[in-house]
Amino acid sequence: MHLLVDISAHGLGHLAQTAPVLNALRPLVPDLRLAVRSALPWRRLAARIAGDFEHIAEARDFGFIMHNAVDVDRPASALRYRELHADWPRVVADEADWLRSRRVDAVVCNAAYLPLAAAAQAGIPAVGMSSLNWADLFAHYLGGEPDATAIHRQILDAYRAAKCFLNFAPGLPMAGFPHCIALPPVAGVGQRDREFFAGQLGLDIGKRWLLVAMGGMDFPLELEHWPRHEDLCWLIPGRPPAGRDDLRCFDAAESRFNDLLASVDAVITKPGYGTFVEAACAGTTILYLERDDWPETAYFAAWLARHARAAALGRRQLLAGDFIADLRALWARPAPPLPRADGARQAARRLADMFGADGNN
């Protein structure tokens, strides 16, 4: 089976959801020929997706134009949506022609909607899959814009053209998706290996390790001004500032990131599916930047309250590095039972069944 999987590059959560599903699908479909279309770099994709795949370095969605990891540029995003939908029938027809030219047997999207509309036009079975959808988010941020009603209808119709939409918890409830199938969380859960990372990154194994990970999106932090704590060591992406021997850098594409996340004592992050679910499943404490305007946040917070030691941070508090007391309070709380993340196996089983590609037949 020649399967095209479209993975959004709007953060890393879409990859974090999709990769475990693909890894679970391979044993069910021995003849799987996988093409991954994503604007994410091949190194990031290959760090999570097992086995060979063709990388098509293109994007069919953009989500939103962002000022940084958490702030949506609404005017720029509205313009991009108007441009994309200005001649929507032609855009869909062109994408349908592209799909036919690739001779794909099936399409899976997390969370682009254009390929779903085009696949329906081309007669190719397709499935949507995510904890979110751009129809609900578009209505939330841009519902008052000119032509918003027509654009929203086209987005929603594109999603509804799929055979179904696999909705991973925790996430949006998908009230407008009658073909939605609710599934458990999905996560690539890492293995705790502090000895390895102590040697790899020059960390003191006797200290607590704090990981700063903003979901693959830019959010400037003046780490050189954060207060020092003798019992803490920081792990950050990129180069550490001069004069801070308590900071170490890591490369998410090369550092066995899931294992690193399971090996640290806490992660400081933004609201996002991948880091939240993977950290909770590993028992890692979570501090996250407040993001009340993002529609998923309330659902994430409710899930974290049951399954993790987690708390929200104000922006000023994060920028100042003034949250160690919050962390120590979380560490003093009893750890809840680790949540199960069986969504990948269940999603893979459904994909194999829907596409008639069960390797046991």
Side-chain angles (χ1 to χ4, degrees):
M1 180 179 72
H2 186 192
L3 176 64
L4 173 70
V5 179
D6 195 294
I7 303 176
S8 175
H10 192 269
L12 297 176
H14 302 278
L15 173 61
Q17 291 174 357
T18 308
V21 176
L22 298 180
N23 295 341
L25 182 63
R26 283 193 187 272
L28 302 178
V29 187
D31 65 341
L32 182 66
R33 177 185 165 202
L34 180 61
V36 176
R37 180 170 59 184
S38 179
L40 293 172
W42 179 87
R43 287 172 63 247
R44 283 202 181 273
L45 298 170
R48 287 188 176 253
I49 301 173
D52 295 332
F53 61 89
E54 176 190 6
H55 180 208
I56 303 167
E58 299 174 1
R60 292 298 189 269
D61 72 335
F62 64 92
F64 294 105
I65 307 302
M66 305 296 294
H67 290 298
N68 53 50
V70 295
D71 297 318
V72 175
D73 186 333
R74 298 191 188 210
S77 298
L79 177 60
R80 283 286 298 275
Y81 274 105
R82 286 197 296 273
E83 292 173 345
L84 176 62
H85 287 264
D87 189 359
W88 183 244
R90 179 192 58 79
V91 172
V92 174
D94 288 348
E95 175 71 358
D97 288 342
W98 186 92
L99 291 174
R100 293 188 193 99
S101 73
R102 302 292 300 195
R103 300 182 182 276
V104 299
D105 298 309
V107 175
V108 173
C109 289
N110 188 336
Y113 55 89
L114 169 59
L116 300 176
Q121 189 173 113
I124 300 170
V127 170
M129 180 175 74
S130 189
S131 62
L132 60 75
N133 68 83
W134 298 126
D136 288 345
L137 294 179
F138 174 88
H140 175 78
Y141 283 105
L142 304 173
E145 293 289 326
D147 301 324
T149 299
I151 293 173
H152 181 259
R153 171 54 57 186
Q154 289 170 340
I155 299 173
L156 201 55
D157 286 347
Y159 280 122
R160 289 172 174 171
K163 290 172 69 71
C164 69
F165 193 99
L166 305 180
N167 180 16
F168 297 121
L172 299 179
M174 312 284 180
F177 287 51
H179 63 336
C180 178
I181 298 173
L183 291 179
V186 58
V189 184
Q191 297 295 315
R192 186 173 176 85
D193 193 351
R194 285 176 67 87
E195 290 78 10
F196 171 81
F197 289 109
Q200 190 81 4
L201 300 175
L203 295 163
D204 185 338
I205 204 164
K207 294 186 177 183
R208 291 188 186 268
W209 301 348
L210 309 183
L211 176 67
V212 179
M214 301 302 284
M217 304 181 81
D218 184 51
F219 191 83
L221 294 168
E222 296 183 355
L223 300 170
E224 65 272 19
H225 299 310
W226 283 12
R228 290 175 177 266
H229 298 269
E230 290 301 317
D231 61 332
L232 305 179
C233 186
W234 299 91
L235 287 159
I236 62 171
R239 187 179 299 276
R244 292 297 300 255
D245 57 3
D246 57 336
L247 274 69
R248 300 288 187 274
C249 62
F250 69 92
D251 184 331
E254 294 183 346
S255 64
R256 293 170 43 190
F257 182 79
N258 290 2
D259 294 341
L260 179 62
L261 185 60
S263 301
V264 300
D265 296 282
V267 59
I268 292 83
T269 187
K270 71 174 183 68
Y273 190 99
T275 304
F276 274 7
V277 177
E278 290 172 356
C281 289
T284 299
T285 299
I286 304 165
L287 277 181
Y288 60 94
L289 178 62
E290 289 178 342
R291 195 184 185 189
D292 292 341
D293 70 315
W294 186 253
E296 284 186 294
T297 300
Y299 301 99
F300 288 155
W303 187 84
L304 288 175
R306 298 191 302 272
H307 298 296
R309 291 183 290 189
L313 290 175
R315 184 172 301 207
R316 184 175 300 177
Q317 192 179 8
L318 174 63
L319 293 176
D322 181 23
F323 49 79
I324 302 305
D326 301 75
L327 269 180
R328 297 195 193 282
L330 288 175
W331 286 330
R333 285 166 38 183
L338 298 181
R340 293 189 61 187
D342 195 37
R345 184 188 63 82
Q346 293 190 31
R349 178 76 268 165
R350 287 183 179 274
L351 291 178
D353 291 345
M354 281 186 288
F355 295 150
D358 192 336
N360 295 323
N361 287 342

